[in-house]
Amino acid sequence: MAEIKVPELAESITEGTIAQWLKQPGDYVEKGEYIVELETDKVNVEVISEEAGTIQELKADEGDTVEVGQVIAIVGAGGEANATSDAKEEAPKKEEAPVEEAPAKEDKKNRPIASPAARKLAREKGIDLSDVPTDPLGRVRKQDIEAYSNKPAEAPSKPSAQEKKAPAKKDDGKPVVREKMSRRRQTIAKRLVEVQQTAAMLTTFNEIDMSKVMELRKRKKDKFFDDHDVRLGFMSFFTKAVVAALKKYPYVNAEIDGDEIVLKKFYDVGVAVSTDDGLVVPVVRDCERKNFAEIEGEIMELATKARNNKLSLGDLQGGSFTITNGGVFGSLLSTPILNGPQVGILGMHKIQLRPVAIDKDTMENRPMMYIALSYDHRIIDGKEAVGFLAMVKDLLENPEDLLLEG
């Protein structure tokens, strides 16, 4: 017999939630085969069986909270698996009527291969994975689930978890639906409240004339793509400008540890990415050593992993500063909340044509962007915060200077 335990996840993660059992009692598993998907505060993790055999018992149900080291399943060793299989094969001979559960178990053994994102989407939409057409390699992808759910002439699917819930009634008799928050959403809510309660958060604003960055990007984007096979976006410009400003204003790249200030001499910039499960902040490491193409490529890779639920815990840990871009959703101005324990976060916003005074006699319509720096006033003074934001503005309005700063 072998025990399947919740593995060590990360230093700061001690528990998770059973998102989905990939195997059921009676199913045979190979050594190294995935048997359960765990949802943690940050990412989803698939747990493997360390031994080949038959699932004897599941000790936790889907939705249960389990701790690191807790036994969640029992797997019978090879001999026990064979004995169990033989007993099941002989059972119908001793009974007058054959057992009708075998086909269902066979279906579970032959379930298609699917990514965690595809399985999660199928659960939300109440879709049986065995009903979804697979790709030529026998896999079900997230886009396959979406295509299946959008088919016009489709047999009624199973009700989703939300649809299964009977509307609760408020005191005034109005219908409502209660949904349990996902573990990730609970963690996001908890940490955002903690930051606002523990940090002396303040926000300062400025605006950037994006004309020169946009003109430079327009001239260079085709050659940039041909040379590096990645598109030249705005994030690499902002990341480089932020790194240069952090070098000049080091307390914006710090954190508080008890009664000490930890000044970080590295520049690992988190980039906020919105996913169906909530906001995540994967980290681009060593930005001071990377060129524009390397930064753009890594941001694209991390964003793709985030949306496909493929981020590892290492992708999310250890950032020293964060950039968030509400402009992609149309936000004109906002006050971003700190990503603790960091003490600074830069908010980008929508680029919009606005009239700008060129001199006392001339006005022009220019592509302008409001930027915001939220900071922890406990260790960052207003002078430093304003200076940091002004330097970011100056570098982006003179993007050639970024090459010198790099």
Side-chain angles (χ1 to χ4, degrees):
M1 303 285 281
E3 296 179 335
I4 304 299
K5 298 181 180 180
V6 178
E8 292 288 340
L9 301 169
E11 183 177 350
S12 60
I13 298 178
T14 60
E15 62 182 22
T17 301
I18 302 290
Q20 183 184 20
W21 282 106
L22 309 179
K23 296 290 184 178
Q24 296 294 324
D27 287 351
Y28 182 77
V29 294
E30 298 287 351
K31 181 178 180 180
E33 187 175 1
Y34 294 118
I35 65 169
V36 65
E37 182 183 348
L38 293 178
E39 182 185 25
T40 72
D41 295 350
K42 296 180 178 179
V43 295
N44 283 22
V45 178
E46 291 179 316
V47 179
I48 64 171
S49 174
E50 297 290 348
E51 185 173 334
T54 300
I55 302 292
Q56 303 292 324
E57 182 183 1
L58 303 182
K59 291 184 170 292
D61 296 325
E62 292 182 358
D64 286 355
T65 297
V66 292
E67 298 180 350
V68 170
Q70 180 178 334
V71 178
I72 54 176
I74 302 294
V75 175
E80 293 166 324
N82 293 336
T84 303
S85 300
D86 293 341
K88 288 185 178 180
E89 290 175 2
E90 293 174 2
K93 298 177 184 178
K94 298 177 183 179
E95 300 289 340
E96 294 183 1
V99 178
E100 296 181 356
E101 293 179 357
K105 291 187 180 295
E106 185 67 26
D107 289 343
K108 288 177 181 176
K109 292 179 185 178
N110 294 330
R111 71 170 68 197
I113 301 170
S115 67
R119 288 195 295 270
K120 182 176 185 301
L121 185 60
R123 290 198 304 271
E124 292 172 350
K125 293 182 176 291
I127 294 174
D128 189 337
L129 283 173
S130 61
D131 293 336
V132 181
T134 62
D135 68 7
L137 297 177
R139 301 170 303 185
V140 175
R141 302 161 298 174
K142 187 176 180 181
Q143 54 264 42
D144 299 323
I145 301 292
E146 292 170 341
Y148 180 83
S149 65
N150 292 329
K151 289 173 65 175
E154 189 65 51
S157 62
K158 298 178 184 177
S160 66
Q162 180 172 330
E163 292 169 339
K164 288 179 181 177
K165 300 170 187 171
K169 295 291 182 180
K170 294 179 68 176
D171 292 341
D172 59 6
K174 299 294 185 181
V176 298
V177 174
R178 292 185 179 273
E179 292 184 29
K180 183 174 176 60
M181 294 171 67
S182 68
R183 173 170 291 276
R184 189 174 304 170
R185 177 55 64 185
Q186 291 179 52
T187 302
I188 291 172
K190 178 182 176 182
R191 290 182 177 173
L192 291 180
V193 171
E194 284 178 351
V195 166
Q196 291 189 310
Q197 291 176 340
T198 59
M201 196 171 73
L202 192 63
T203 306
T204 186
F205 303 92
N206 213 317
E207 63 177 346
I208 300 174
D209 182 346
M210 297 291 289
S211 300
K212 291 185 179 180
V213 168
M214 294 176 72
E215 190 275 331
L216 177 61
R217 180 171 174 263
K218 183 178 180 180
R219 282 191 292 110
K220 299 293 186 179
K221 65 178 183 179
D222 291 338
K223 186 176 186 304
F224 188 89
F225 184 79
D226 290 341
D227 291 345
H228 305 290
D229 197 29
V230 65
R231 299 192 183 282
L232 178 60
F234 293 119
M235 286 302 300
S236 53
F237 288 95
F238 274 87
T239 302
K240 280 295 189 182
V242 159
V243 169
L246 290 174
K247 290 179 178 179
K248 185 171 182 180
Y249 299 95
Y251 284 89
V252 186
N253 196 48
E255 68 177 69
I256 296 177
D257 184 12
D259 60 356
E260 294 181 332
I261 297 174
V262 181
L263 294 170
K264 300 175 183 177
K265 298 301 183 181
F266 58 89
Y267 304 92
D268 293 350
V269 178
V271 179
V273 178
S274 178
T275 72
D276 294 339
D277 294 329
L279 194 71
V280 293
V281 187
V283 179
V284 182
R285 311 285 175 185
D286 303 318
C287 291
E288 76 280 12
R289 302 177 187 175
K290 289 183 167 67
N291 59 33
F292 280 68
E294 290 170 330
I295 291 173
E296 291 288 355
E298 192 161 341
I299 289 174
M300 182 179 68
E301 179 183 351
L302 289 170
T304 301
K305 288 171 68 175
R307 295 185 179 108
N308 291 331
N309 204 23
K310 293 294 186 182
L311 287 173
S312 68
L313 291 170
D315 292 327
L316 299 166
Q317 295 176 326
S320 62
F321 186 88
T322 295
I323 301 175
T324 181
N325 185 5
V328 296
F329 304 111
S331 173
L332 187 62
L333 190 63
S334 67
T335 55
I337 297 177
L338 292 173
N339 180 25
Q342 298 170 21
V343 296
I345 181 172
L346 179 73
M348 299 166 56
H349 298 91
K350 180 181 179 181
I351 299 173
Q352 190 173 61
L353 281 175
R354 289 198 291 273
V356 176
I358 305 304
D359 53 42
K360 66 178 183 179
D361 300 316
T362 308
M363 297 281 289
E364 288 185 8
N365 287 332
R366 294 286 183 90
M368 305 296 294
M369 176 194 285
Y370 289 121
I371 55 174
L373 174 71
S374 290
Y375 60 98
D376 193 337
H377 210 349
R378 291 179 297 172
I379 63 171
I380 302 172
D381 294 330
K383 179 181 177 181
E384 290 177 299
V386 171
F388 175 92
L389 209 56
M391 184 171 179
V392 171
K393 168 185 169 69
D394 290 343
L395 288 170
L396 287 162
E397 290 185 341
N398 300 280
E400 293 83 358
D401 292 347
L402 289 174
L403 300 177
L404 301 177
E405 291 291 343

